[in-house]
Every structure is written in structure tokens, then in C-alpha cells.
Amino acid sequence: WFLNQQPCPPAFGGRVFAAMHKARAMLDALMGPGRDAVIKDKEASKEKFKDRSVCKGFLVGLCPLDKAYLGGKRKFLPCEKIHSEIMKSQLEAHAQVEELRLDYESLSFRDLEYVVRECEAHIAQERQRIRDDIKRKKPPLPAGVNDRLSAMKRESSTLIQRAETLDDDQMREKDALITKANELLKDRETMLEEETKKAREAQIPEEVCEVCGTAYEGKDGDAAHLQFKIHEAYKQIRARIEELRPRLEEWEKKKKEKRDQELKAKRKEEWDKAMEAEEAAGGEKKKDRGKERDKDRSKEKDSKDSRSRGRDRRRSRAGASRSRASRGGASRSRAAASRSRRRNSRSRSRRRSTKKSPSRGRRRGSR
């Protein structure tokens, strides 16, 4: 195709791309992600296992979706991340391997619980299917029983055919044949029910494995299914869950205690900062209150001075008014004294005048 410059068929192109993808996955698993990138930082090159494309479950021991376990079985798709032993060795050589391992085990624990939940759902579905089959399906009967039931059905059909060939004047014989045929059918139904019940009781019940959810019949079926890869995979997965559970619970407990301590320390720091801010604000308030008290004192002093000046002015005014009043009273008393003296002088002058001229008084009287 290439020499003739003709386009290759789609199937050929698909096979090429599939082969390229497979080769790329193999190189990633062997050399790790970013194998073609130029390495500038040697320390960063030692932490390629932290890349998102690397499966963390594989690094700490078990990836449940690996093709060696459940990948591609039932409804599980294979894990598309890198499963590399080189990445695992990088994790083991890391300085924080214990902390990283616990973190990756926590991620792996979720995947393990997921596949176990799916298995439990599958077990429930299988048990329901078995119950429905018991109600719907009839167990196989022995060959002798089936022959006997077939013979009884043929005999009943033969009797009915003989009855149909008889004339109407042979009604008694005809009714007898039909009655015998119906009795044979009833006996056949009774025999079928009894033999079905016996076969169901004698039938080996179908059971479901509690580990992997595989249905089997009898001890031979149980022994055979124990050799299945899916049973071994679920056995290892359940054992891994029981191994990780107590360690992760202890780790989660320590993480919670650490978070609580950090939260308490943060709250204490915030509280101290708030108290310092409040004390600083209180100092400012005290200064402001001191300034306000000084202002109040100065205002109060000014008011006292103004009141004292007012009292002094009132006193001076009262003294001036009293002095004016006293001066006015003295002048009035002097005027009254002068008036009384003038009256006294006039009265004395009149008395003297009357003593000097008595005849004038008599003449007035005679007149």
C-alpha cells in the first residue's frame, strides 16, 4: 500500500494504532511517565510516581482493576493508569514514604470498597434469580416417570378417539370411555405434581459464593469455582480491606486530632489577636476619656470662674445700689430736717408777732 501510495484499509490502521498504544503503555510501565521529557531537575525525576497517570493502588500493593484481578471481568473496565515497578521503587526510596503510603492506601481503600460493593450487589441479584428460577422452572423428572406420564396421556387420547367413533345409539359405552379418559388425565396430573415435588426436594440447590458471587451447584461445583481467577481476586481484595481498615482508621483518627489541634491553635491565635486589638482600642479609649475629662475639667473651671465673676458683679451692683440708696436716704432726711426747721422757725415767728401787737387783735375781735 505504501509503495503504491494507496490508503491503507481501516482495519489495518486500527491494528496499527492499537499496537502503538500498547507499545506506549508498555514503555510507560517500564520507564515511567514523561520518559521523553528533558530532565532538568534530578529531584523532580525521582518523584514521577506522584503523577496522576500512575496508579496509586498498584504502588501500595494491589489495584483491584488490574487485568490480573478484576479488570475486564463482569462489568469492570481494566485500569488505564500506569502499573510500574520502577514507580514503586521510587516510592519506597522517598523520604516521606510512610506518609505517602498511608495517603495512597486511603485512595486504594476506596477502590477496594467499590469493587466489593459491586460484588455484594451481584450476590443479591444471583440470589433473587435463583428464587425466581425455583418458582418458574420445573425440575427435570426421571426418565421412567416421563415414560409413564406419556403413556397415560396416549392412552387417554386413544380412549377419547374410540368414544368419538361410536354411534349415538351407543351412548352408554361412549360415556364410559370418556369418563375413563378423564380419570386417566386426573391421575396423570396427580402423578406429575407428586413426582415434581419429589424431584424438587431431591434437586441439589443452587448456591451463591459469599466471597465472589459465583453461583454453583453442590460440592463439586463449589470446589470447581474455588479455582476461578475471580474468586481468588475477590479473596485477596477482601483480605486487603481487612488489613487496611484498622490502620486507616487509626490514621484518620490521628489526622482528626491534628486538625482539631490546629483549629484550636488557630482559634487561640485569633483570640489573642482580638484581645490585643481590644486592649489597643481600650488604651485609645482611655486616652480619649482622659482628654475628655481634661476638657470637662477646663469647662468646669471656666464655668466656676464665670460664676464667681458673675457673683462679684452682682455683689458690686448690689453694693452700688445700696450706696445709692443710702445717699438718697440721707438727702431725704436732710431735706425733711430742713423742712421741719423751716416750719419751726415760721411758727416761732408767728408767736412773736402776736405777742408784740395785742390791740390789733382786740380790734379784730370788736369788729
Side-chain angles (χ1 to χ4, degrees), residues 18 140 292:
E292 290 177 358

Side-chain angles (χ1 to χ4, degrees), residues 48-310:
K48 290 182 179 180
F49 65 90
K50 293 183 179 180
D51 194 86
R52 291 184 179 180
S53 61
V54 178
C55 179
K56 303 304 185 289
F58 181 83
L59 293 180
V60 293
L62 191 153
C63 174
L65 299 180
D66 192 348
K67 291 182 178 180
Y69 292 94
L70 299 177
K73 299 177 179 65
R74 289 184 180 169
K75 297 180 180 179
F76 299 114
L77 296 176
C79 179
E80 296 181 353
K81 294 186 177 182
I82 298 172
H83 294 181
S84 173
E85 294 292 337
I86 296 176
M87 301 296 102
K88 188 182 292 188
S89 61
Q90 285 186 1
L91 172 63
E92 295 297 332
H94 198 272
Q96 299 177 350
V97 59
E98 294 299 329
E99 184 178 353
L100 290 172
R101 181 182 286 113
L102 287 171
D103 191 12
Y104 293 166
E105 283 177 351
S106 178
L107 296 175
S108 176
F109 189 77
R110 299 174 190 173
D111 295 337
L112 296 172
E113 284 191 327
Y114 162 71
V115 297
V116 168
R117 284 196 303 270
E118 291 295 320
C119 181
E120 296 296 333
H122 181 75
I123 290 172
Q125 293 176 359
E126 285 294 296
R127 286 176 176 171
Q128 184 62 39
R129 179 190 62 78
I130 291 171
R131 286 193 292 267
D132 294 340
D133 289 344
I134 291 173
K135 294 178 181 179
R136 185 179 63 255
K137 294 182 179 179
K138 294 181 178 179
L141 299 177
V145 174
N146 287 327
D147 294 340
R148 176 60 182 162
L149 292 173
S150 299
M152 294 175 71
K153 187 175 182 180
R154 287 195 300 270
E155 185 178 357
S156 175
S157 300
T158 302
L159 291 174
I160 291 173
Q161 289 176 1
R162 284 177 59 190
E164 290 176 352
T165 58
L166 294 177
D167 296 331
D168 294 337
D169 56 351
Q170 296 176 336
M171 290 297 297
R172 185 176 295 177
E173 295 178 0
K174 189 175 184 179
D175 292 340
L177 291 173
I178 293 173
T179 302
K180 189 175 181 181
N182 292 332
E183 289 178 354
L184 279 173
L185 291 176
K186 288 181 180 180
D187 294 340
R188 181 182 180 279
E189 292 296 329
T190 304
M191 181 180 178
L192 178 61
E193 291 178 1
E194 292 178 354
E195 293 298 330
T196 302
K197 185 177 179 181
K198 291 178 182 179
R200 186 169 287 152
E201 292 175 353
Q203 185 181 13
I204 299 174
E206 190 175 7
E207 299 180 8
V208 181
C209 178
E210 296 288 342
V211 176
C212 64
T214 302
Y216 60 89
E217 293 182 358
K219 295 181 179 180
D220 295 337
D222 187 12
H225 105 276
L226 293 177
Q227 306 301 321
F228 295 167
K229 290 183 178 180
I230 193 168
H231 179 85
E232 185 63 25
Y234 268 114
K235 184 179 178 181
Q236 295 184 25
I237 288 170
R238 291 180 184 272
R240 181 64 173 169
I241 288 176
E242 296 302 321
E243 179 186 353
L244 292 179
R245 192 187 303 277
R247 185 159 66 244
L248 292 178
E249 288 178 355
E250 184 67 21
W251 181 59
E252 290 293 338
K253 184 178 179 181
K254 290 181 179 179
K255 282 179 63 177
K256 185 176 181 301
E257 292 176 355
K258 185 178 179 181
R259 285 195 300 267
D260 293 341
Q261 291 177 359
E262 291 177 353
L263 183 60
K264 287 180 181 179
K266 185 177 179 181
R267 287 179 179 175
K268 187 177 182 302
E269 185 180 355
E270 292 177 353
W271 175 261
D272 293 340
K273 288 182 180 179
M275 293 299 295
E276 290 176 1
E278 187 175 355
E279 289 177 359
E284 295 293 333
K285 289 181 180 178
K286 287 181 180 179
K287 291 181 181 179
D288 295 338
R289 285 197 295 269
K291 291 180 181 180
E292 290 177 358
R293 282 197 295 270
D294 294 338
K295 289 181 181 179
D296 294 338
R297 290 194 191 98
S298 63
K299 288 180 181 179
E300 186 177 357
K301 185 177 180 181
D302 294 340
S303 63
K304 286 182 180 179
D305 294 341
S306 63
R307 286 197 297 271
S308 64
R309 287 194 295 270

